[in-house]
Amino acid sequence: MGVRLMVVDDHRLLAEALASALRLRGHRVLAAAAPSAGAAELVVNRSPEVCLLGTSAPAEPGAFDPVRRIKAERPQVAVVVLGPVPSPRGIAAAFAAGASGYVRHDERIDGVERAMIKARAGEAAVAPQLLQGAFAELLNPAAQPDDEGARLLQILTPREVEVLVRVAEGEDTRLIAAGMGIAPSTARTHVQRVLMKLGVGSRLEAAALAARTGLLDRAPHPSATPGDG
């Protein structure tokens, strides 16, 4: 039996593509929306069985406010968050707000479908390893929020810190390569490693995270003198 659902994501193409794929699998998609605001109101008005709610920054304050409103006004709606590779704190925040599941943006359609069906049945729809990480973080927090910038500096190499600072300053791959005296392909690899270590999906998210945690204030300003790759 198909699921009656809504897909809400700030990226319209992602929302429509996911909605189309789920329709082909026999699910009833009430709407595929890309609101800059008002996501909760849309869901409350249509009252689907499941809402797939996309977020690009699960660690941002207020990221899960729409989930709280949906659960307050339509507690029967199961909300499954679609987001980047999260920190355990992000997973915990999603469930604390009332989400029934968390699925990575890069999950295959089969995984999204399984999460929807589990959430509709009242089960937690999250990969076991992500859930374990969330519990571990809650029980043994690695760092207080004020120390997040220091923690990020510890997991990045000095080279990666420089790359992150350059990304935050708006440099593209070509400028990063020129400023560091490395090949563009090497610069691109460094950027991808930084995104992976920070658990974000884009340069914009990495820059926002670095600014929010105070990492940019602690990191040395990149030198204009080329170095080795």
Side-chain angles (χ1 to χ4, degrees), residues 24-93:
L24 290 175
R25 288 172 171 255
H27 301 289
R28 183 185 173 194
V29 181
L30 302 180
S36 57
E41 186 173 357
L42 285 172
V43 178
V44 167
N45 289 339
R46 301 300 293 271
S47 194
E49 291 177 306
V50 176
C51 170
L52 298 178
L53 181 67
T55 178
S56 58
E60 286 287 343
F64 300 116
D65 286 350
V67 180
R68 291 187 178 88
R69 182 181 168 192
I70 291 168
K71 298 305 292 184
E73 299 190 31
R74 293 288 187 270
Q76 73 276 16
V77 176
V79 181
V80 176
V81 175
L82 303 176
V85 180
S87 68
R89 192 175 291 117
I91 286 280

Side-chain angles (χ1 to χ4, degrees), residues 173-174 176-178 182-193 203 229:
T173 301
R174 180 181 58 82
I176 293 173
I182 56 180
S185 59
T186 302
R188 193 173 298 110
T189 298
H190 282 316
V191 170
Q192 290 305 313
R193 286 177 179 167
R203 297 182 184 213

